[in-house]
Amino acid sequence: MGGSMVERYQKLGLKESLNQAYHYYCVLKWKKEGRVRESESVPSSKVITRYCLILQLQFRVLSQLVKIGVSSSSSLRVGVTTVENSKFLVAANLQDVLVHIFGFLDLKSLVTASLVCRPWSVAASDNHLWQSIHISFSGSQSDNPNIIRLTYDLFICVAVLTQEFQEKVTSEGLLQAVQFNCLQLSNSKCCNECYGKITDRHQIIPVSLEQIVEYVIDESIPSLDSDSDSDDSVDSSFFKLWAYPRRFENMQLISLLCYYVIFGASGLLGELYMRWSKGNIPNNFRALFISILSAAATPGQCPQAEPSDLGWDLVH
Amino acid sequence: MASTTETKQKKMLILKSADNDEFEIEESVGVQSETIKNLVEDGFTFVPLPNVYTKALIKIIDYLKKHANKTDSNDEEIKTFDKDFVNTTFDDLFELVSAANYLHISCLMNMLCQTIADRIKDKSPEAVRKIFHINCDYTPEEEAKIRKANAQAFEGQFDESLD
């Protein structure tokens, strides 16, 4: 952990060594992002304001520093309608403006927007944006950039899976379930990537996005080409990485999620599900149904998805 | 409302646009912008705005004037004004939004961004590119790859209109 951006900045003595204009640009940017408090040993707002004016003159130089991937050929014409050199000014502000605009978009439009071009893709994956989405869904704040980033990727995957699925996902409860899984997954991922704290009880295995989505949707553990003879030892540690706290509310939502997907595939099962959800099917029937579902969802590769293992008995 | 004596006492600010046009506004109107407010607190009365063009500045000053006199009674009037204000072309909107961003007028900023977001909602990437005059900088291979990876995202109904 390298400390906050401000700490690193101070540690490296950038304040003394950095070209003044760049230095103030940094501070301005942080200020805007709320990273710098007034009390910290950085220039006060008034000083910054004065330097704002100086900065105007040096913006062209600065734009070299903050070229946000806007090449002249692909300039977004946000406000660039008149004078040529204003492109530079706009480029420097562009990202902020785009992020602001994207803040008002829904999930699907945001995904579409990220497919427009590179600068947009960068703006659409802005951490603050996804952090606020994260907060609005999970109700808690997370400063871990990986969680946010992963949330983003996962949303992209989930949002595009199927039209039907997407509709279900946007219902609040299910989104929370997805969110919950994101946290679970990225926590375990971060052990590996950020903090280097790998406990001997956990075996960390790189996981692709597809596998994550697979996991979220049908709770199956991604299939790996592990040797069958070392099954016992590998599996026990492996499953601990994916160990799932028995939060029954979430379990229920996940199961719903799972059903919805299968619901689209099989009308019969769907009908069964409807009847089941109304409680028309007796209990033992339900257990049978669940095992059919798990089998259908994860053909031949998920011993851990046995209903009893997942606490199904306790759910209802 | 304001008598002549009051008008004289009121501090005036001069805003200079990027096209070198100068506008005189009351301080109370100008301080709705954070950028101008900071400068006023530092004792400036002449405010050069090298990022803001005359066309946008005129509109923004209109907006600020309207909102400076905000009371309960003219709430409806302001709402109508806002509606007309954002009912303009995309190019104008972008110019306004970058000006508002530079001037740090948060309520205007939010209103404009909301408007733009509403208008690009549910549009296809192609339509958005046309609206924003963007050349796609993905290579054809990359684009095909992305399209394949996100095939489902392109299945729904898109609004292809450009307004």
Side-chain angles (χ1 to χ4, degrees):
Chain A
M1 299 269 299
S4 72
M5 207 170 152
V6 177
E7 277 165 15
R8 283 200 302 275
Y9 170 85
Q10 283 166 347
K11 209 170 167 184
L12 290 172
L14 288 179
K15 203 173 167 187
E16 286 74 35
S17 62
L18 207 64
N19 179 312
Q20 206 171 40
Y22 294 157
H23 160 71
Y24 278 101
Y25 182 77
C26 285
V27 176
L28 269 178
K29 217 162 155 53
W30 293 347
K31 230 184 116 52
K32 222 171 163 191
E33 292 168 12
R35 290 218 183 108
V36 180
R37 286 189 299 277
E38 293 292 336
S39 59
E40 286 178 40
S41 61
V42 288
S44 74
S45 63
K46 283 195 173 180
V47 183
I48 291 171
T49 315
R50 277 191 209 105
Y51 275 90
C52 266
L53 287 176
I54 299 170
L55 276 180
Q56 302 309 323
L57 308 172
Q58 303 190 353
F59 242 110
R60 228 172 297 182
V61 186
L62 281 169
S63 64
Q64 300 297 322
L65 183 75
V66 289
K67 250 189 191 166
I68 320 170
V70 183
S71 65
S72 52
S73 62
S74 69
S75 71
L76 303 183
R77 282 190 32 185
V78 177
V80 188
T81 47
T82 38
V83 183
E84 273 298 302
N85 64 8
S86 71
K87 267 181 190 167
F88 289 108
L89 301 176
V90 170
N93 291 325
L94 178 74
Q95 216 68 358
D96 293 342
V97 177
L98 273 180
V99 170
H100 201 130
I101 293 172
F102 289 169
F104 293 96
L105 284 177
D106 59 36
L107 213 56
K108 191 192 167 193
S109 302
L110 192 57
V111 173
T112 315
S114 71
L115 297 173
V116 169
C117 66
R118 282 177 213 274
W120 280 47
S121 169
V122 173
S125 50
D126 183 89
N127 266 349
H128 293 276
L129 209 57
W130 288 94
Q131 196 164 24
S132 58
I133 290 177
H134 180 89
I135 291 167
S136 69
F137 286 126
S138 71
S140 66
Q141 189 157 7
S142 158
D143 288 329
N144 189 329
N146 273 27
I147 292 180
I148 299 154
R149 178 63 218 180
L150 196 75
T151 310
Y152 168 70
D153 289 336
L154 195 68
F155 266 121
I156 298 255
C157 293
V158 169
V160 299
L161 273 174
T162 65
Q163 209 69 30
E164 190 188 351
F165 182 70
Q166 201 180 325
E167 281 160 27
K168 310 299 179 201
V169 162
T170 40
S171 79
E172 202 185 341
L174 289 173
L175 253 178
Q176 269 171 2
V178 174
Q179 280 287 333
F180 176 78
N181 277 279
C182 285
L183 278 174
Q184 292 292 310
L185 291 163
S186 47
N187 276 337
S188 47
K189 214 180 161 202
C190 288
C191 294
N192 195 8
E193 292 184 356
C194 302
Y195 305 115
K197 283 184 209 155
I198 304 173
T199 64
D200 19 335
R201 290 165 57 206
H202 291 185
Q203 185 186 357
I204 307 295
I205 296 162
V207 183
S208 74
L209 274 175
E210 288 75 21
Q211 286 172 312
I212 293 172
V213 173
E214 200 179 310
Y215 170 75
V216 171
I217 291 166
D218 54 21
E219 297 183 13
S220 75
I221 288 177
S223 62
L224 289 168
D225 305 327
S226 59
D227 297 331
S228 51
D229 55 10
S230 61
D231 257 348
D232 282 348
S233 57
V234 169
D235 277 0
S236 62
S237 55
F238 177 53
F239 291 152
K240 266 175 195 155
L241 168 63
W242 297 91
Y244 204 86
R246 301 203 167 197
R247 301 262 186 92
F248 298 119
E249 262 182 39
N250 284 309
M251 293 296 294
Q252 267 176 314
L253 291 167
I254 289 292
S255 66
L256 274 176
L257 212 80
C258 166
Y259 294 153
Y260 279 129
V261 174
I262 297 158
F263 184 73
S266 159
L268 178 70
L269 283 178
E271 200 185 357
L272 268 175
Y273 163 67
M274 293 300 283
R275 286 172 62 188
W276 170 74
S277 64
K278 284 174 194 159
N280 291 342
I281 302 169
N283 270 347
N284 49 353
F285 204 110
R286 188 185 300 166
L288 178 71
F289 176 61
I290 289 165
S291 45
I292 293 172
L293 276 184
S294 345
T298 58
Q301 54 120 338
C302 65
Q304 73 289 346
E306 288 296 326
S308 59
D309 281 351
L310 293 170
W312 285 105
D313 298 338
L314 295 167
V315 172
H316 300 291
Chain B
M1 292 202 286
S3 70
T4 31
T5 45
E6 269 179 328
T7 318
K8 269 178 192 166
Q9 281 168 358
K10 264 178 190 162
K11 244 175 112 182
M12 301 302 279
L13 297 173
I14 295 169
L15 308 184
K16 188 177 169 193
S17 76
D19 309 323
N20 294 323
D21 292 316
E22 290 182 10
F23 298 88
E24 200 178 31
I25 59 166
E26 287 168 21
E27 189 187 297
S28 60
V29 173
V31 293
Q32 288 173 85
S33 150
E34 286 290 321
T35 309
I36 295 177
K37 192 178 166 193
N38 281 335
L39 285 165
V40 168
E41 280 170 4
D42 283 1
F44 289 90
T45 51
F46 179 77
V47 185
L49 301 170
N51 287 11
V52 186
Y53 292 95
T54 303
K55 198 176 152 200
L57 191 58
I58 291 171
K59 285 202 84 174
I60 285 179
I61 289 173
D62 272 354
Y63 175 90
L64 290 178
K65 276 183 183 159
K66 203 84 189 173
H67 281 248
N69 302 323
K70 202 172 182 177
T71 55
D72 290 339
S73 56
N74 64 3
D75 206 31
E76 279 302 311
E77 193 189 332
I78 286 181
K79 267 182 193 158
T80 330
F81 174 83
D82 284 351
K83 224 176 212 171
D84 286 344
F85 189 83
V86 296
N87 188 17
T88 174
T89 63
F90 262 112
D91 284 344
D92 284 348
L93 277 180
F94 301 144
E95 202 155 324
L96 284 171
V97 83
S98 58
N101 182 50
Y102 174 69
L103 289 167
H104 287 273
I105 310 168
S106 58
C107 57
L108 177 60
M109 189 71 188
N110 285 339
M111 186 174 84
L112 290 168
C113 287
Q114 178 76 66
T115 313
I116 295 177
D118 285 347
R119 289 210 203 168
I120 62 175
K121 230 173 236 177
D122 298 327
K123 289 217 192 308
S124 70
E126 289 78 15
V128 176
R129 278 183 206 134
K130 270 182 206 153
I131 290 165
F132 282 80
H133 308 283
I134 295 169
N135 296 327
C136 180
D137 56 357
Y138 291 117
T139 63
E141 294 83 34
E142 276 179 319
E143 202 183 345
K145 199 175 157 194
I146 293 166
R147 277 178 179 274
K148 206 179 162 195
N150 299 289
Q152 299 288 346
F154 293 96
E155 272 187 2
Q157 292 293 312
F158 278 120
D159 179 5
E160 298 285 350
S161 59
L162 298 181
D163 48 38

